[in-house]
Amino acid sequence: MKQLTGGIGAGYVVECAGTDATLNQAIHMTNRGGKICLAAFPHEAATLDIAHLVRNNIYAYGIRGEGRSAMHRAMELMAAKRFDATKIHTHTFPLADLPTALRYARDRVDDAIKVVVTNRKADAIARPAE
């Protein structure tokens, strides 16, 4: 992200996987004073680069989902074939089309539900330079 933004980084990052790797990627792609929304439900304690978070005055906050009981109900509905979860992921855009992807998600264009933005270059960028 820092390479893509000329070293600035993102002002707002939503982390949705909850793994050590993705949490640390979120920390390192966020600009000074930026915000990270922790949207995943990690299954284990994570090892994070807190020093980088603090040195760069990055704000991290969590959001609360519906909890375990809602997840179990959803899984039961999917197992009973009463809900097709593949229909939730409705659109995928490359990072270059981020403004369009955000518009689709915000305005529910073409009945968008879950809009995914991909970056094929992400695997090539192991860790941005500080």
Side-chain angles (χ1 to χ4, degrees):
M1 182 56 65
K2 290 208 175 177
Q3 287 178 354
L4 293 170
T5 61
I8 297 170
Y12 186 82
V13 175
V14 180
E15 197 289 318
C16 299
T19 67
D20 284 11
T22 58
L23 288 161
N24 282 299
Q25 287 171 1
I27 289 170
H28 286 274
M29 73 173 62
T30 304
N31 66 5
R32 286 183 68 82
K35 297 177 183 177
I36 301 172
C37 173
L38 304 171
F41 289 91
H43 297 288
E44 302 172 4
T47 302
L48 304 177
D49 188 351
I50 297 297
H52 184 84
L53 191 103
V54 172
R55 276 194 314 268
N56 290 285
N57 199 32
I58 296 170
Y59 298 87
Y61 60 96
I63 60 172
R64 182 170 180 240
E66 291 300 318
R68 184 171 287 165
S69 64
M71 181 185 67
H72 287 294
R73 285 193 307 269
M75 290 174 65
E76 288 170 7
L77 288 171
M78 288 185 282
K81 306 274 190 231
R82 293 180 57 204
F83 176 73
D84 182 2
T86 62
K87 293 181 179 180
I88 292 174
H89 176 186
T90 57
H91 297 80
T92 301
F93 292 92
L95 184 59
D97 292 337
L98 180 61
T100 301
L102 293 173
R103 184 174 61 81
Y104 268 61
R106 183 190 63 231
D107 298 337
R108 302 288 185 223
V109 173
D110 195 24
D111 295 325
I113 297 173
K114 181 172 179 119
V115 177
V116 175
V117 177
T118 63
N119 180 4
R120 302 226 184 259
K121 296 179 184 178
D123 292 335
I125 304 171
R127 186 172 180 172
E130 295 184 50

